[in-house]
Every structure is written in C-alpha cells, then in structure tokens.
Amino acid sequence: MEPAVQAPSKPRPHELRTLAIDIGGTGIKAVVLSATGKPLTERSRVKTPRPATPGAVINTIVELAKAQGEFDRVSVGFPGVVRRGVTVTAPNLNGNWGGFRLADVLSKKLGVPVRVANDADVQGFGVIAGHGVELVVTLGTGFGSGLFVDGILVPNLELGHHPFQKGKTYEELLGDAVLKKVGKKKWNKRLVRAIRTLDLVFNYDLLYIGGGNAERVTVKLPSNVKIVSNVAGLLGGLALWRD
Ligand code: BGC
C-alpha cells in the first residue's frame, strides 16, 4: 500500500540547483544554476552593505537568496582568502572577517550546505579550459587572481598585494579607486605593463581578465590574453562541488 504522506524525495544529482553568490566590494550578486551550470533564474545584484561587516553581508545574502527561489546548496565567491569555509582576509570589506566561519553560519541560516572560495578562483573555474598554465585576474574594487595548472587550482594566490611598480601593488595601481582617479587611458597603459610582467613571471598559456572593470580595457591584447564576462564570476560556483 502507498503511504498516505510521501516524504519529499531528495533531488537527484542531475536536478541539483546551486545558488551561486558573488560577494564583491561594490555589489553582491546571485543566480541559481542548474546541474550543468546553466542559469535558471535572473541574476540579481544589490549594493554591498556598508559597513560590510559579516552580519550585514550575511543578511544581504539571505535576502538575495529568498528572492532567488528554490535551491539545494550554495556556492559563494568571497573577495579575500578563504580556508575550508573560514574567511582569513577581506581587504575591500570592512568589519572583522579574520576567522569568520562563513560557510557554517550561512549554512545554518539557509538550511542547505554552503561552500566558499575566493572570488577570483570561482571566476577562474567558470572560464578556464583545463589545460596547461592558466592565470585569471579580475579587475574590480580589488585585483583578484587565480592560477590553474591543468585545471587544478593553486590555492591562495594573492597577486593583487604584490608590489608591481615603485613599491605599489597591482591593486593599488589597477583597482577601481585608482581607475576613477587616473582615468581610463593611464589605467590601460598600466594594465599593458602589468600583463607584460605577469607573462614574464608565470609564462601562462592563457591569461583571462575578468571582473567589473574588464569592460574598461581598450588596449589591444596579446593573442594569449582574453577578456571574459563578469557573469563567469557566478558560473564557476558549480566547480566547488566537484568532488
Ligand atoms: C583580495 C583578493 C580578491 C580580490 C578581488 C583582493 O583585495 O585580496 O582575495 O580576490 O581583491 O576581490
């Protein structure tokens, strides 16, 4: 005999819906992805709360999540170093993020499993080919970086904070604040020099440039450098569950 009330069945792997969240210094974005990485909802974006404390950011994500409907798990791209779901640094968010158990706290709030990775690494997962040495940099509020060797991530590369010219770091010379200050022309010139240096140091097969300011790149790029859509910042979220 059929039981009167059927327990809700767990979604099969091919039906799993992943809520992908991208926490940026300026905006927090969300979309639900299918098991094959296709967006199932319209991407939404709200301003990053200021001050961007853990509590304020969590509340914003919970609101965004509600508006995105149903999902079975969550992937978060975080603008700083993350180790096993715990945030270590967050140069462009204020508040005390050192040692914050972001994955656990969010998982309790949303009632589903949560995985967190660096935002540029998530972006990388969304665009790499998976062969050879692939470097991803993101141009936004901060300067993000992700390095992949045959599709495997080299974790915690924080190129943005490496001095590049006259003691100033990539982030200090190419971040959004400085783009607004020096203008597009000078910023593009700097970018050319940065690309040359990165090529000499990493000898990558491909360099991908993403992030909100990638669309401000006006210079002609070498053939092994590609501009990628900022939306990839969300699409890579699926890769965090590939194990
Ligand atoms: C952080 C990186 C992050 C990047 C882009 C930098 O300031 O150190 O971890 O990927 O900003 O958000």
Side-chain angles (χ1 to χ4, degrees):
M1 211 169 66
E2 285 280 306
V5 180
Q6 279 197 323
S9 54
K10 276 198 173 168
R12 281 168 287 187
H14 66 274
E15 292 168 345
L16 279 176
R17 294 165 70 103
T18 306
L19 174 69
I21 303 279
D22 182 27
I23 306 176
T26 317
I28 302 184
K29 297 132 245 166
V31 73
V32 175
L33 302 175
S34 75
T36 54
K38 281 205 207 91
L40 296 173
T41 55
E42 199 159 314
R43 169 183 180 267
S44 48
R45 179 186 191 279
V46 293
K47 276 200 178 143
T48 305
R50 288 290 164 184
T53 57
V57 169
I58 292 273
N59 288 342
T60 305
I61 294 176
V62 170
E63 286 307 307
L64 271 174
K66 266 192 213 147
Q68 285 286 324
E70 306 247 307
F71 49 85
D72 308 292
R73 57 189 187 185
V74 180
S75 297
V76 180
F78 182 79
V81 176
V82 185
R83 277 202 199 99
R84 288 175 282 278
V86 180
T87 60
V88 180
T89 61
N92 295 303
L93 300 178
N94 12 35
N96 189 3
W97 285 93
F100 182 69
R101 304 173 68 83
L102 179 56
D104 283 354
V105 173
L106 205 52
S107 174
K108 280 202 190 95
K109 287 261 182 199
L110 298 174
V112 293
V114 176
R115 291 194 179 170
V116 185
N118 173 263
D119 55 355
D121 293 346
V122 175
Q123 170 108 24
F125 280 123
V127 298
I128 55 163
H131 313 292
V133 177
E134 297 177 277
L135 181 65
V136 181
V137 300
T138 62
L139 303 173
T141 311
F143 182 103
S145 55
L147 180 64
F148 297 82
V149 182
D150 288 337
I152 309 278
L153 172 71
V154 179
N156 302 338
L157 176 70
E158 285 279 293
L159 258 183
H161 305 293
H162 194 269
F164 157 55
Q165 255 186 355
K166 297 185 188 153
K168 290 208 169 166
T169 64
Y170 286 88
E171 184 154 308
E172 283 166 337
L173 290 167
L174 288 162
D176 188 54
V178 84
L179 164 62
K180 290 197 175 110
K181 208 163 116 200
V182 304
K184 222 159 82 169
K185 203 164 161 204
K186 198 160 182 188
W187 182 84
N188 268 274
K189 270 196 183 160
R190 280 183 185 170
L191 182 66
V192 170
R193 282 199 295 271
I195 292 173
R196 223 177 279 143
T197 309
L198 293 175
D199 192 17
L200 281 171
V201 174
F202 289 94
N203 294 290
Y204 46 72
D205 294 296
L206 271 169
L207 168 68
Y208 303 90
I209 301 180
N213 284 336
E215 61 186 35
R216 311 238 188 278
V217 178
T218 51
V219 281
K220 191 171 173 338
L221 297 170
S223 60
N224 60 348
V225 181
K226 282 189 187 167
I227 300 282
V228 292
S229 137
N230 197 28
V231 177
L234 286 164
L235 303 188
L238 214 60
L240 307 192
W241 299 91
R242 235 191 262 145
D243 56 15

